[in-house]
Amino acid sequence: MPFADRLNNVETSAIRELFKLLGKPGIISFAGGFPDSAMFDVAGIQDAVNTALTEEPGAALQYGATEGYNPLREQLAAFMGSKGVSVEPDGLIVTTGSQQALDLLGKTMIDPGDKVIVEGPTFLATIQCFRLYGADLVSAPVDANGVDTDALEKLMAEHKPKFVYLIPTFGNPSGAMLSLERRKKVLALAVKYNTLIVEDDPYGDLYFNEAPPPSILSLSKDVPGSRELIAHCGSMSKVLSPGLRVGWMIGPAELLAKATMCKQFSDAHTSTFAQATAAQYLKAGRMPATLARVRKVYGERAVTMGAALKRELGDAVEFTQPQGGLFFWARLTGAGGKTKDAGEFAKRAIEQGVAFVPGAPFYAGNPDMATFRLSFATADVGKIEEGVGRLGKAIEAIAQH
């Protein structure tokens, strides 16, 4: 069958392939990138559904505007306002998850051969999405404080990218948090090189102790000329429910207009029923309590996983303890003659009954084969202890061969 050439640029998700191995009974999975369903505020969502169907059943069940259901846009504008971002309801569009926002950016911004700078490592679906539209991806290195802004500047000067894509707060997979100093540098670079910065922020509300620095979008008010060079993508998936598929994008009016046009072609609008539910949930004021609960639970799990990794794997692995989000990003050191191949480690781990994701697929180029991602979100403290113990056995099994 003569499929479009653009599909030649995209590989099947390595994570999806890995999930085929997870049917084995007793597997403890640190592989997924999703929240714990036990954390969902089912009662609150049920109340929101009932209120939506009682107060505005016609609007909730009818076709809606492509830009989004206005009561939700008003609630999202207020939600962003609570985080230091001044935005009018018509200054954002509602998307079907933040994943659709990335797709709309690809559709509206990327011509085949365009350079786009991403973090190395970055969100796997972003790599696949932007490549689908023909982007030539360039990786900027990441450390514990997020993207290396000195390296980023050199890459921007050399490649003159169409845009730069960052997950500055507890990124997937790196878990890194971009420092305040570097956030300000990113804004300065946007202005200096007149280049759009895409700030993807699905995890920023999932901090464990201190709140992270303000978003790049929030800080743009202090850097003249930068606000029109920021596209900010948000999501309810990690904090409320992925099943609602509610995300949003804030950006320059011209970009939002083009994105709305493309969205009209793809899905007409995000489910009005889901939008009305999310709007009523936010209006009811339940989000702060929900966030407090998930921060506490995920924070405990992250502490447990960090301690277990140090105890069970010792100097065979290095990592930075995450301060929020859902992920550990770790690297095999090869200490004591142990393996530095995360792919081999993943296979041995499956044999021991535990799964994680090797790091190589998260790189647009020059993958670090020693890296891997662990999610602590869906396993309770006991399962984390047991699962990391199995990782210790897996690494010993490799060393003995």
Side-chain angles (χ1 to χ4, degrees):
M1 199 174 292
F3 292 111
D5 288 345
R6 74 174 74 90
L7 294 179
N8 298 333
N9 298 325
V10 184
E11 297 172 9
T12 305
S13 167
I15 296 175
R16 195 175 300 120
E17 294 301 307
L18 180 71
F19 276 107
K20 292 177 184 174
L21 303 173
L22 299 186
K24 189 174 156 188
I27 288 266
I28 294 173
S29 177
F30 300 142
F34 35 80
D36 187 346
S37 55
M39 294 291 99
F40 299 155
D41 179 9
V42 177
I45 293 171
Q46 193 161 28
D47 285 348
V49 167
N50 292 338
T51 306
L53 290 176
T54 302
E55 291 189 1
E56 290 197 277
L61 298 173
Q62 185 54 278
Y63 283 113
T66 303
E67 296 91 331
Y69 178 61
N70 214 51
L72 177 59
R73 293 169 89 194
E74 289 170 357
Q75 291 297 327
L76 290 175
F79 183 60
M80 292 302 297
S82 72
K83 299 193 279 186
V85 174
S86 175
V87 63
E88 294 298 319
D90 63 1
L92 62 86
I93 63 171
V94 178
T95 57
T96 302
S98 58
Q99 181 66 50
Q100 186 182 51
L102 304 182
D103 183 62
L104 293 172
L105 284 161
K107 280 178 177 163
T108 55
M109 299 292 295
I110 297 171
D111 285 316
D114 279 346
K115 297 286 182 77
V116 173
I117 295 177
V118 299
E119 292 161 307
T122 193
F123 181 39
L124 177 57
T126 302
I127 295 173
Q128 295 170 314
C129 174
F130 293 167
R131 280 195 174 141
L132 182 66
Y133 294 109
D136 180 4
L137 299 181
V138 177
S139 283
V142 170
D143 61 25
N145 294 306
V147 69
D148 179 335
T149 45
D150 291 337
L152 176 61
E153 176 160 21
K154 288 176 185 161
L155 292 171
M156 290 175 76
E158 178 186 350
H159 294 287
K160 300 176 176 55
K162 206 66 170 290
F163 60 86
V164 175
Y165 170 82
L166 304 174
I167 316 174
T169 312
F170 317 130
N172 177 4
S174 72
M177 184 174 75
L178 191 65
S179 66
L180 179 60
E181 181 185 359
R182 289 187 181 183
R183 288 170 194 246
K184 291 176 178 175
K185 177 78 180 286
V186 166
L187 286 164
L189 293 177
V191 174
K192 181 175 180 179
Y193 295 99
N194 193 34
T195 300
L196 181 73
I197 305 293
V198 176
E199 177 181 35
D200 195 5
D201 189 29
Y203 306 101
D205 289 309
L206 296 178
Y207 55 86
F208 304 146
N209 296 301
E210 289 180 28
S215 65
I216 292 172
L217 179 63
S218 174
L219 292 169
S220 68
K221 62 180 176 287
D222 302 323
V223 182
S226 64
R227 174 71 186 246
E228 288 301 297
L229 292 168
I230 307 296
H232 178 99
C233 306
S235 174
M236 288 279 145
S237 291
K238 305 303 186 291
V239 295
L240 183 56
S241 155
L244 284 175
R245 308 309 303 131
V246 169
W248 63 95
M249 179 162 66
I250 299 169
E254 189 178 16
L255 171 61
L256 293 184
K258 299 284 190 194
T260 299
M261 180 179 70
C262 290
K263 179 173 168 60
Q264 199 166 17
F265 307 151
S266 69
D267 69 357
H269 58 80
T270 298
S271 160
T272 45
F273 182 60
Q275 289 186 76
T277 299
Q280 292 294 347
Y281 191 90
L282 289 169
K283 186 178 175 184
R286 295 182 71 123
M287 185 60 86
T290 294
L291 285 172
R293 188 163 64 103
V294 297
R295 286 170 187 151
K296 182 173 184 292
V297 171
Y298 291 156
E300 287 170 353
R301 291 175 183 179
V303 167
T304 299
M305 182 171 275
L309 286 168
K310 285 178 181 169
R311 184 178 67 247
E312 301 291 344
L313 278 77
D315 61 0
V317 67
E318 58 187 12
F319 60 89
T320 299
Q321 181 72 26
Q323 300 305 304
L326 305 179
F327 306 108
F328 270 80
W329 183 244
R331 189 171 188 283
L332 297 168
T333 63
K338 295 186 173 73
T339 186
K340 290 186 75 174
D341 180 347
E344 182 188 14
F345 183 31
K347 287 175 188 157
R348 295 288 186 174
I350 286 279
E351 290 169 8
Q352 294 291 339
V354 63
F356 62 84
V357 185
F362 296 101
Y363 291 88
N366 304 313
D368 182 345
M369 305 304 287
T371 56
F372 59 101
R373 189 192 78 178
L374 302 164
S375 173
F376 48 82
T378 56
D380 63 26
V381 165
K383 281 278 195 291
I384 289 170
E385 297 268 11
E386 187 180 341
V388 177
R390 294 179 186 182
L391 290 180
K393 289 176 185 165
I395 209 157
E396 289 299 334
I398 298 170
Q400 287 164 14
H401 272 67

